[in-house]
Amino acid sequence: LAESGVPQLVQPMIWDYAADLDVEGKVQLIEKYRRCGFSKVWFASAFKGATGVNQSLTLIGHHLKNHLQWLKVASNSPADVLEGIALTGWQRYDHFSVLCELLPVAIPSVAVCLQALKNGGYSEKIKENVEKLLGMSNLETDTFMR
């Protein structure tokens, strides 16, 4: 792969939407890419649409945990390797599937995930900031929003 010249033309994107993604496994994968000549990688997470084909409500806690895991991967990787993170928001699992959760119900999730990435973690203060930004009195992350 290194001799092919491909690493000078593309940057790999590592996809994982799991709340308990394998941090050490991802760090090892990044090292493998670096040994093959790739100097930069991208991460891909999801703020909605990755927890069930017929999901209609967004479980924010799942997506928040995924982003916190990606932050751990980034902090355990060489500082110059991460080019960026793509926050995906899937609308359906394939062209023949019904729509899963729509964007309006996922706005709190994208706000939480973006704030967690921006601040390098999540805390009560960040939660209060998201509530203020969205005009919400009680942001629920571990249950479905009411």
Side-chain angles (χ1 to χ4, degrees), residues 19-146:
D20 61 348
L21 71 84
D22 178 9
V23 172
E24 185 56 36
K26 295 293 184 268
V27 171
Q28 291 174 4
L29 181 58
I30 291 166
E31 285 303 317
K32 286 181 184 180
Y33 279 129
R34 285 179 66 94
R35 285 195 304 270
C36 290
F38 293 98
S39 60
K40 299 283 187 182
V41 299
W42 288 78
F43 299 159
S45 63
F47 68 90
K48 76 173 205 71
T51 57
V53 67
N54 60 352
Q55 191 78 26
S56 59
L57 298 173
T58 305
L59 187 55
I60 298 170
H62 173 91
H63 300 290
L64 173 59
K65 289 173 187 169
N66 175 254
H67 287 90
L68 295 176
Q69 292 295 92
W70 277 120
L71 287 171
K72 288 180 185 176
V73 174
S75 68
N76 287 299
S77 300
D80 62 341
V81 73
L82 179 59
E83 185 69 12
I85 183 165
L87 270 68
T88 65
W90 295 97
Q91 200 63 44
R92 62 178 77 208
Y93 278 58
D94 62 53
H95 294 291
F96 303 106
S97 296
V98 298
L99 295 176
C100 53
E101 62 227 82
L102 301 177
L103 181 60
V105 299
I107 288 174
S109 181
V110 73
V112 165
C113 294
L114 286 170
Q115 286 296 309
L117 291 174
K118 177 183 173 186
N119 292 286
Y122 192 72
S123 66
E124 188 62 31
K125 183 170 174 37
I126 293 169
K127 177 183 181 245
E128 290 169 7
N129 186 40
V130 172
E131 288 172 340
K132 183 178 176 187
L133 288 169
L134 297 178
M136 300 176 73
S137 60
N138 185 23
L139 177 66
E140 299 174 33
T141 59
D142 295 322
T143 59
F144 289 112
M145 299 296 293
R146 286 188 213 119

